[in-house]
Amino acid sequence: LDPTKKRAFKCPTTMYNYKSLARMKTHSPNAKFVVGMRHPVKMLQSFYNYRIAEIGEKGLDELAPPFQEVLDSPEPWKGVSMESTRFELFLQQMGKTTMTPEDFDEMAHQKYDLAVKPTDFTVFLYTVDQLEDTDESRSLNVRTVMQEYLELNTPINPFGHENKNHHTSDAAEPDRELTANEKQVISICDPQWADVRAKLIEQGARTAQWIADEFMNSPAVIVANPEHFKETLQSWGTDPCV
């Protein structure tokens, strides 16, 4: 392997249990994390619909459970649960912030295998809103800070935008009958999910406050355009469907 080349892999669920972080610590103790977040309401919809799309992409003989059944389950479905948007639970595992006894107790009673495993990992933290920012100066700064963080010689080009599950939409084939799995795809802005959104917004406001007050203050955490970053966090306390 060429030691001058940088290597990376994308796996959001690495953050979802301490065992993955522990393995990363063993095999790549100097790894740099790039962690992206989005509004909890949008994230939960995307995560659930993505898992449905994945079934189709992999040709699995599996029927996706209804969204409400996933939310009511005592165990996450392929990582998806009401708590999967509580980013603080997963970020706390990296040992970058002070933990209270209450924090440990709450972590112990979650649906995921969570534990605090302090590491030397550094984190570049961003929100999807920052990647989609139309302010050219701020957008350039995000890419420049990320480039410097990753020690890349080549500037990072503007990020594209792709937000379509090709296996969960009949837009390209309007006359095709949907599969049983495709019929499970949700639009979280539908009135039936109003109570779910309300809980996600309540959780999201607390998560955003913790990130702004605790996680961002760690010297191991890098954020571009901090004030704008905080502004994007504040939106987590409002309903994006209104």
Side-chain angles (χ1 to χ4, degrees):
L1 295 178
D2 185 347
T4 65
K5 288 187 176 181
K6 296 185 182 297
R7 293 167 178 82
F9 76 99
K10 178 183 178 183
C11 184
T13 53
T14 295
M15 302 292 297
Y16 274 45
N17 71 74
Y18 74 91
K19 296 174 185 177
S20 296
L21 289 172
R23 285 194 290 270
M24 285 288 292
K25 181 179 180 179
T26 299
H27 297 291
S28 302
N30 298 314
K32 293 186 173 186
F33 276 63
V34 177
V35 178
M37 305 173 297
R38 68 188 307 186
H39 193 295
V41 170
K42 296 178 181 178
M43 185 272 189
L44 188 60
Q45 171 185 272
S46 178
F47 197 9
Y48 175 72
N49 289 345
Y50 167 76
R51 287 306 194 197
I52 292 176
E54 187 178 46
I55 292 173
E57 289 171 352
K58 294 183 176 181
L60 301 178
D61 183 18
E62 178 181 349
L63 181 63
F67 187 52
Q68 188 62 58
E69 183 178 313
V70 170
L71 300 184
D72 294 339
S73 172
E75 298 293 332
W77 175 65
K78 298 180 180 293
V80 182
S81 79
M82 198 69 180
E83 290 72 34
S84 58
T85 65
R86 292 191 59 192
F87 307 124
E88 76 275 20
L89 294 173
F90 311 108
L91 293 172
Q92 284 173 341
Q93 296 184 101
M94 304 185 82
K96 308 302 182 187
T97 60
T98 301
M99 297 281 288
T100 67
E102 291 76 18
D103 291 333
F104 282 111
D105 184 65
E106 185 166 11
M107 180 179 282
H109 289 86
Q110 293 303 318
K111 299 177 181 180
Y112 301 85
D113 291 328
L114 305 178
V116 178
K117 294 291 182 181
T119 68
D120 292 329
F121 298 144
T122 54
V123 182
F124 179 87
L125 195 65
Y126 71 89
T127 65
V128 171
D129 289 342
Q130 286 186 293
L131 298 191
E132 299 175 348
D133 192 359
T134 58
D135 185 297
E136 292 184 5
S137 177
R138 288 197 306 245
S139 178
L140 175 60
N141 189 56
V142 169
R143 302 196 307 274
T144 300
V145 174
M146 186 184 296
Q147 176 191 345
E148 293 172 350
Y149 171 71
L150 296 175
E151 300 179 78
L152 302 176
N153 295 323
T154 305
I156 298 174
N157 293 325
F159 296 99
H161 179 68
E162 174 73 10
N163 191 30
K164 179 180 178 64
N165 266 329
H166 299 284
H167 292 267
T168 60
S169 171
D170 64 341
E173 304 173 77
D175 297 326
R176 179 176 63 82
E177 182 178 353
L178 297 179
T179 67
N181 279 328
E182 288 172 329
K183 290 177 181 178
Q184 301 287 26
V185 170
I186 65 154
S187 173
I188 205 165
C189 288
D190 287 349
Q192 72 183 102
W193 306 121
D195 289 345
V196 173
R197 295 199 309 272
K199 184 175 180 180
L200 289 169
I201 290 164
E202 180 183 350
Q203 289 181 175
R206 291 197 302 269
T207 297
Q209 196 66 51
W210 179 84
I211 291 171
D213 293 346
E214 302 290 338
F215 200 64
M216 277 184 68
N217 290 326
S218 168
V221 177
I222 310 299
V223 172
N225 304 324
E227 292 308 313
H228 181 245
F229 175 83
K230 290 180 181 179
E231 288 178 19
T232 68
L233 293 182
Q234 290 175 358
S235 71
W236 296 1
T238 60
D239 190 342
C241 299
V242 175

